[in-house]
mmCIF file of all heavy atoms in Angstrom:
data_model
loop_
_atom_site.group_PDB
_atom_site.id
_atom_site.type_symbol
_atom_site.label_atom_id
_atom_site.label_comp_id
_atom_site.label_asym_id
_atom_site.label_seq_id
_atom_site.Cartn_x
_atom_site.Cartn_y
_atom_site.Cartn_z
ATOM 1 N N VAL A 1498 -25.083 -13.768 -25.861
ATOM 2 C CA VAL A 1498 -24.127 -12.866 -25.214
ATOM 3 C C VAL A 1498 -22.680 -13.153 -25.597
ATOM 4 O O VAL A 1498 -21.771 -12.495 -25.102
ATOM 5 C CB VAL A 1498 -24.289 -12.896 -23.673
ATOM 6 C CG1 VAL A 1498 -25.635 -12.335 -23.266
ATOM 7 C CG2 VAL A 1498 -24.082 -14.291 -23.128
ATOM 8 N N VAL A 1499 -22.432 -14.114 -26.492
ATOM 9 C CA VAL A 1499 -21.064 -14.436 -26.904
ATOM 10 C C VAL A 1499 -20.483 -13.234 -27.647
ATOM 11 O O VAL A 1499 -21.180 -12.562 -28.408
ATOM 12 C CB VAL A 1499 -21.036 -15.713 -27.771
ATOM 13 C CG1 VAL A 1499 -19.649 -15.967 -28.345
ATOM 14 C CG2 VAL A 1499 -21.476 -16.907 -26.937
ATOM 15 N N CYS A 1500 -19.214 -12.959 -27.413
ATOM 16 C CA CYS A 1500 -18.449 -11.851 -27.983
ATOM 17 C C CYS A 1500 -18.810 -10.497 -27.372
ATOM 18 O O CYS A 1500 -18.500 -9.451 -27.940
ATOM 19 C CB CYS A 1500 -18.550 -11.809 -29.512
ATOM 20 S SG CYS A 1500 -17.821 -13.280 -30.281
ATOM 21 N N MET A 1501 -19.469 -10.500 -26.226
ATOM 22 C CA MET A 1501 -19.734 -9.275 -25.477
ATOM 23 C C MET A 1501 -18.792 -9.246 -24.281
ATOM 24 O O MET A 1501 -18.313 -10.296 -23.841
ATOM 25 C CB MET A 1501 -21.182 -9.249 -24.949
ATOM 26 C CG MET A 1501 -22.244 -9.247 -26.005
ATOM 27 S SD MET A 1501 -23.908 -9.348 -25.301
ATOM 28 C CE MET A 1501 -24.144 -7.669 -24.788
ATOM 29 N N ASN A 1502 -18.532 -8.038 -23.739
ATOM 30 C CA ASN A 1502 -17.768 -8.043 -22.499
ATOM 31 C C ASN A 1502 -18.682 -8.578 -21.397
ATOM 32 O O ASN A 1502 -19.910 -8.545 -21.513
ATOM 33 C CB ASN A 1502 -17.132 -6.678 -22.193
ATOM 34 C CG ASN A 1502 -18.067 -5.648 -21.615
ATOM 35 O OD1 ASN A 1502 -18.849 -5.920 -20.723
ATOM 36 N ND2 ASN A 1502 -17.962 -4.431 -22.135
ATOM 37 N N LEU A 1503 -18.078 -9.112 -20.360
ATOM 38 C CA LEU A 1503 -18.825 -9.810 -19.322
ATOM 39 C C LEU A 1503 -19.859 -8.908 -18.667
ATOM 40 O O LEU A 1503 -20.982 -9.334 -18.391
ATOM 41 C CB LEU A 1503 -17.856 -10.388 -18.282
ATOM 42 C CG LEU A 1503 -18.471 -11.142 -17.110
ATOM 43 C CD1 LEU A 1503 -19.338 -12.297 -17.593
ATOM 44 C CD2 LEU A 1503 -17.371 -11.641 -16.179
ATOM 45 N N GLN A 1504 -19.535 -7.653 -18.416
ATOM 46 C CA GLN A 1504 -20.482 -6.754 -17.767
ATOM 47 C C GLN A 1504 -21.722 -6.540 -18.635
ATOM 48 O O GLN A 1504 -22.844 -6.608 -18.147
ATOM 49 C CB GLN A 1504 -19.833 -5.406 -17.444
ATOM 50 C CG GLN A 1504 -20.760 -4.461 -16.694
ATOM 51 C CD GLN A 1504 -21.152 -5.016 -15.342
ATOM 52 O OE1 GLN A 1504 -20.305 -5.258 -14.499
ATOM 53 N NE2 GLN A 1504 -22.449 -5.227 -15.121
ATOM 54 N N ASP A 1505 -21.527 -6.298 -19.915
ATOM 55 C CA ASP A 1505 -22.665 -6.103 -20.816
ATOM 56 C C ASP A 1505 -23.504 -7.380 -20.929
ATOM 57 O O ASP A 1505 -24.734 -7.322 -21.011
ATOM 58 C CB ASP A 1505 -22.192 -5.646 -22.202
ATOM 59 C CG ASP A 1505 -21.628 -4.232 -22.189
ATOM 60 O OD1 ASP A 1505 -21.943 -3.461 -21.242
ATOM 61 O OD2 ASP A 1505 -20.864 -3.893 -23.113
ATOM 62 N N ALA A 1506 -22.847 -8.535 -20.930
ATOM 63 C CA ALA A 1506 -23.559 -9.811 -20.995
ATOM 64 C C ALA A 1506 -24.418 -9.999 -19.743
ATOM 65 O O ALA A 1506 -25.583 -10.412 -19.833
ATOM 66 C CB ALA A 1506 -22.568 -10.964 -21.142
ATOM 67 N N GLN A 1507 -23.866 -9.676 -18.590
ATOM 68 C CA GLN A 1507 -24.633 -9.784 -17.344
ATOM 69 C C GLN A 1507 -25.817 -8.825 -17.360
ATOM 70 O O GLN A 1507 -26.919 -9.177 -16.927
ATOM 71 C CB GLN A 1507 -23.734 -9.512 -16.138
ATOM 72 C CG GLN A 1507 -22.723 -10.606 -15.891
ATOM 73 C CD GLN A 1507 -21.687 -10.216 -14.838
ATOM 74 O OE1 GLN A 1507 -21.468 -9.041 -14.550
ATOM 75 N NE2 GLN A 1507 -21.040 -11.220 -14.265
ATOM 76 N N ASN A 1508 -25.607 -7.618 -17.859
ATOM 77 C CA ASN A 1508 -26.705 -6.652 -17.944
ATOM 78 C C ASN A 1508 -27.826 -7.167 -18.850
ATOM 79 O O ASN A 1508 -29.008 -6.979 -18.561
ATOM 80 C CB ASN A 1508 -26.197 -5.304 -18.455
ATOM 81 C CG ASN A 1508 -25.284 -4.608 -17.461
ATOM 82 O OD1 ASN A 1508 -25.232 -4.962 -16.282
ATOM 83 N ND2 ASN A 1508 -24.545 -3.618 -17.941
ATOM 84 N N LYS A 1509 -27.465 -7.816 -19.954
ATOM 85 C CA LYS A 1509 -28.461 -8.352 -20.884
ATOM 86 C C LYS A 1509 -29.239 -9.498 -20.236
ATOM 87 O O LYS A 1509 -30.448 -9.625 -20.423
ATOM 88 C CB LYS A 1509 -27.780 -8.817 -22.173
ATOM 89 C CG LYS A 1509 -28.714 -8.969 -23.334
ATOM 90 C CD LYS A 1509 -27.954 -9.077 -24.644
ATOM 91 C CE LYS A 1509 -28.910 -9.049 -25.818
ATOM 92 N NZ LYS A 1509 -28.203 -9.143 -27.089
ATOM 93 N N ILE A 1510 -28.553 -10.338 -19.451
ATOM 94 C CA ILE A 1510 -29.213 -11.434 -18.730
ATOM 95 C C ILE A 1510 -30.160 -10.856 -17.676
ATOM 96 O O ILE A 1510 -31.282 -11.338 -17.499
ATOM 97 C CB ILE A 1510 -28.169 -12.394 -18.126
ATOM 98 C CG1 ILE A 1510 -27.464 -13.159 -19.252
ATOM 99 C CG2 ILE A 1510 -28.802 -13.351 -17.128
ATOM 100 C CD1 ILE A 1510 -26.248 -13.944 -18.806
ATOM 101 N N HIS A 1511 -29.727 -9.798 -16.992
ATOM 102 C CA HIS A 1511 -30.599 -9.139 -16.011
ATOM 103 C C HIS A 1511 -31.852 -8.597 -16.695
ATOM 104 O O HIS A 1511 -32.957 -8.722 -16.172
ATOM 105 C CB HIS A 1511 -29.871 -7.995 -15.319
ATOM 106 C CG HIS A 1511 -28.788 -8.427 -14.392
ATOM 107 N ND1 HIS A 1511 -27.994 -7.534 -13.726
ATOM 108 C CD2 HIS A 1511 -28.348 -9.650 -14.008
ATOM 109 C CE1 HIS A 1511 -27.115 -8.181 -12.991
ATOM 110 N NE2 HIS A 1511 -27.306 -9.470 -13.147
ATOM 111 N N ALA A 1512 -31.682 -7.984 -17.856
ATOM 112 C CA ALA A 1512 -32.821 -7.437 -18.592
ATOM 113 C C ALA A 1512 -33.799 -8.535 -19.004
ATOM 114 O O ALA A 1512 -35.002 -8.291 -19.118
ATOM 115 C CB ALA A 1512 -32.331 -6.676 -19.826
ATOM 116 N N ALA A 1513 -33.300 -9.756 -19.180
ATOM 117 C CA ALA A 1513 -34.167 -10.885 -19.528
ATOM 118 C C ALA A 1513 -34.957 -11.372 -18.314
ATOM 119 O O ALA A 1513 -35.904 -12.137 -18.470
ATOM 120 C CB ALA A 1513 -33.337 -12.025 -20.112
ATOM 121 N N GLY A 1514 -34.568 -10.951 -17.102
ATOM 122 C CA GLY A 1514 -35.309 -11.319 -15.896
ATOM 123 C C GLY A 1514 -34.587 -12.241 -14.944
ATOM 124 O O GLY A 1514 -35.161 -12.684 -13.957
ATOM 125 N N VAL A 1515 -33.333 -12.558 -15.208
ATOM 126 C CA VAL A 1515 -32.548 -13.423 -14.319
ATOM 127 C C VAL A 1515 -31.417 -12.580 -13.742
ATOM 128 O O VAL A 1515 -30.705 -11.902 -14.477
ATOM 129 C CB VAL A 1515 -31.999 -14.659 -15.067
ATOM 130 C CG1 VAL A 1515 -31.051 -15.451 -14.197
ATOM 131 C CG2 VAL A 1515 -33.152 -15.525 -15.526
ATOM 132 N N PHE A 1516 -31.252 -12.637 -12.418
ATOM 133 C CA PHE A 1516 -30.271 -11.764 -11.773
ATOM 134 C C PHE A 1516 -29.020 -12.489 -11.308
ATOM 135 O O PHE A 1516 -28.048 -11.862 -10.946
ATOM 136 C CB PHE A 1516 -30.930 -11.029 -10.606
ATOM 137 C CG PHE A 1516 -32.016 -10.135 -11.081
ATOM 138 C CD1 PHE A 1516 -33.330 -10.556 -11.078
ATOM 139 C CD2 PHE A 1516 -31.724 -8.890 -11.597
ATOM 140 C CE1 PHE A 1516 -34.337 -9.736 -11.556
ATOM 141 C CE2 PHE A 1516 -32.716 -8.059 -12.082
ATOM 142 C CZ PHE A 1516 -34.025 -8.481 -12.055
ATOM 143 N N TYR A 1517 -29.016 -13.798 -11.313
ATOM 144 C CA TYR A 1517 -27.837 -14.545 -10.876
ATOM 145 C C TYR A 1517 -27.304 -15.383 -12.024
ATOM 146 O O TYR A 1517 -27.943 -16.328 -12.479
ATOM 147 C CB TYR A 1517 -28.162 -15.434 -9.666
ATOM 148 C CG TYR A 1517 -27.005 -16.282 -9.215
ATOM 149 C CD1 TYR A 1517 -25.838 -15.708 -8.728
ATOM 150 C CD2 TYR A 1517 -27.051 -17.670 -9.304
ATOM 151 C CE1 TYR A 1517 -24.771 -16.478 -8.330
ATOM 152 C CE2 TYR A 1517 -25.982 -18.445 -8.901
ATOM 153 C CZ TYR A 1517 -24.849 -17.849 -8.417
ATOM 154 O OH TYR A 1517 -23.778 -18.599 -8.026
ATOM 155 N N SER A 1518 -26.114 -15.014 -12.499
ATOM 156 C CA SER A 1518 -25.422 -15.793 -13.528
ATOM 157 C C SER A 1518 -24.008 -16.047 -13.020
ATOM 158 O O SER A 1518 -23.533 -15.372 -12.115
ATOM 159 C CB SER A 1518 -25.395 -15.047 -14.862
ATOM 160 O OG SER A 1518 -24.728 -13.813 -14.722
ATOM 161 N N ARG A 1519 -23.352 -17.010 -13.606
ATOM 162 C CA ARG A 1519 -21.987 -17.349 -13.187
ATOM 163 C C ARG A 1519 -21.040 -17.170 -14.367
ATOM 164 O O ARG A 1519 -21.443 -17.233 -15.516
ATOM 165 C CB ARG A 1519 -21.927 -18.797 -12.694
ATOM 166 C CG ARG A 1519 -22.800 -19.026 -11.473
ATOM 167 C CD ARG A 1519 -22.786 -20.459 -11.033
ATOM 168 N NE ARG A 1519 -23.689 -21.228 -11.921
ATOM 169 C CZ ARG A 1519 -23.811 -22.547 -11.884
ATOM 170 N NH1 ARG A 1519 -23.088 -23.253 -11.069
ATOM 171 N NH2 ARG A 1519 -24.660 -23.153 -12.688
ATOM 172 N N SER A 1520 -19.774 -16.938 -14.031
ATOM 173 C CA SER A 1520 -18.750 -16.857 -15.077
ATOM 174 C C SER A 1520 -17.565 -17.698 -14.657
ATOM 175 O O SER A 1520 -17.328 -17.901 -13.465
ATOM 176 C CB SER A 1520 -18.331 -15.402 -15.309
ATOM 177 O OG SER A 1520 -17.779 -14.846 -14.141
ATOM 178 N N LYS A 1521 -16.830 -18.200 -15.662
ATOM 179 C CA LYS A 1521 -15.644 -19.010 -15.376
ATOM 180 C C LYS A 1521 -14.573 -18.698 -16.405
ATOM 181 O O LYS A 1521 -14.864 -18.312 -17.542
ATOM 182 C CB LYS A 1521 -15.976 -20.502 -15.356
ATOM 183 C CG LYS A 1521 -16.403 -21.057 -16.704
ATOM 184 C CD LYS A 1521 -16.646 -22.551 -16.626
ATOM 185 C CE LYS A 1521 -16.941 -23.091 -18.018
ATOM 186 N NZ LYS A 1521 -17.085 -24.526 -18.033
ATOM 187 N N ASP A 1522 -13.335 -18.868 -15.989
ATOM 188 C CA ASP A 1522 -12.186 -18.623 -16.850
ATOM 189 C C ASP A 1522 -12.112 -19.742 -17.893
ATOM 190 O O ASP A 1522 -11.954 -20.921 -17.556
ATOM 191 C CB ASP A 1522 -10.918 -18.586 -15.997
ATOM 192 C CG ASP A 1522 -9.677 -18.206 -16.766
ATOM 193 O OD1 ASP A 1522 -9.748 -18.021 -17.996
ATOM 194 O OD2 ASP A 1522 -8.617 -18.082 -16.122
ATOM 195 N N ALA A 1523 -12.224 -19.388 -19.171
ATOM 196 C CA ALA A 1523 -12.220 -20.380 -20.250
ATOM 197 C C ALA A 1523 -10.844 -20.977 -20.482
ATOM 198 O O ALA A 1523 -10.724 -22.020 -21.136
ATOM 199 C CB ALA A 1523 -12.743 -19.751 -21.543
ATOM 200 N N THR A 1524 -9.770 -20.374 -19.958
ATOM 201 C CA THR A 1524 -8.425 -20.913 -20.154
ATOM 202 C C THR A 1524 -8.126 -22.057 -19.202
ATOM 203 O O THR A 1524 -7.131 -22.740 -19.367
ATOM 204 C CB THR A 1524 -7.364 -19.816 -19.950
ATOM 205 O OG1 THR A 1524 -7.404 -19.385 -18.587
ATOM 206 C CG2 THR A 1524 -7.578 -18.647 -20.884
ATOM 207 N N GLY A 1525 -8.971 -22.244 -18.184
ATOM 208 C CA GLY A 1525 -8.728 -23.292 -17.201
ATOM 209 C C GLY A 1525 -7.807 -22.862 -16.073
ATOM 210 O O GLY A 1525 -7.453 -23.678 -15.221
ATOM 211 N N LYS A 1526 -7.415 -21.597 -16.037
ATOM 212 C CA LYS A 1526 -6.504 -21.103 -14.995
ATOM 213 C C LYS A 1526 -7.244 -20.722 -13.706
ATOM 214 O O LYS A 1526 -6.612 -20.331 -12.744
ATOM 215 C CB LYS A 1526 -5.725 -19.890 -15.507
ATOM 216 C CG LYS A 1526 -4.815 -20.199 -16.669
ATOM 217 C CD LYS A 1526 -4.118 -18.940 -17.146
ATOM 218 C CE LYS A 1526 -3.270 -19.202 -18.372
ATOM 219 N NZ LYS A 1526 -2.670 -17.977 -18.908
ATOM 220 N N SER A 1527 -8.542 -20.833 -13.697
ATOM 221 C CA SER A 1527 -9.376 -20.519 -12.532
ATOM 222 C C SER A 1527 -9.185 -19.096 -12.021
ATOM 223 O O SER A 1527 -9.210 -18.850 -10.815
ATOM 224 C CB SER A 1527 -9.128 -21.523 -11.394
ATOM 225 O OG SER A 1527 -9.439 -22.824 -11.814
ATOM 226 N N ARG A 1528 -8.968 -18.165 -12.916
ATOM 227 C CA ARG A 1528 -8.828 -16.763 -12.512
ATOM 228 C C ARG A 1528 -10.196 -16.190 -12.178
ATOM 229 O O ARG A 1528 -11.198 -16.560 -12.775
ATOM 230 C CB ARG A 1528 -8.165 -15.950 -13.623
ATOM 231 C CG ARG A 1528 -6.758 -16.425 -13.957
ATOM 232 C CD ARG A 1528 -6.188 -15.680 -15.130
ATOM 233 N NE ARG A 1528 -6.932 -16.050 -16.342
ATOM 234 C CZ ARG A 1528 -6.668 -15.557 -17.547
ATOM 235 N NH1 ARG A 1528 -5.709 -14.674 -17.711
ATOM 236 N NH2 ARG A 1528 -7.364 -15.944 -18.584
ATOM 237 N N HIS A 1529 -10.207 -15.277 -11.224
ATOM 238 C CA HIS A 1529 -11.445 -14.615 -10.826
ATOM 239 C C HIS A 1529 -11.684 -13.401 -11.716
ATOM 240 O O HIS A 1529 -10.760 -12.671 -12.041
ATOM 241 C CB HIS A 1529 -11.390 -14.181 -9.359
ATOM 242 C CG HIS A 1529 -11.270 -15.330 -8.425
ATOM 243 N ND1 HIS A 1529 -12.330 -16.132 -8.090
ATOM 244 C CD2 HIS A 1529 -10.204 -15.824 -7.753
ATOM 245 C CE1 HIS A 1529 -11.935 -17.068 -7.262
ATOM 246 N NE2 HIS A 1529 -10.634 -16.909 -7.035
#
C-alpha cells in the first residue's frame, strides 16, 4: 500500500480481510 492515499490503502487492507488498521504521522508531528 506504499505510495497510495490513506483511504485507498485502508480499502485494500479491508479487501484483504482486516478491518482495523492504524495510521501515524511520519513527520513526527503527531497530526491526526
Side-chain angles (χ1 to χ4, degrees):
V1498 294
V1499 173
C1500 296
M1501 297 175 79
N1502 79 45
L1503 179 57
Q1504 183 63 60
D1505 291 339
Q1507 290 170 339
N1508 292 345
K1509 198 165 187 180
I1510 291 169
H1511 290 177
V1515 173
F1516 297 96
Y1517 177 64
S1518 60
R1519 298 177 281 174
S1520 61
K1521 66 177 185 176
D1522 186 357
T1524 65
K1526 296 178 184 176
S1527 300
R1528 298 175 292 180
H1529 297 283

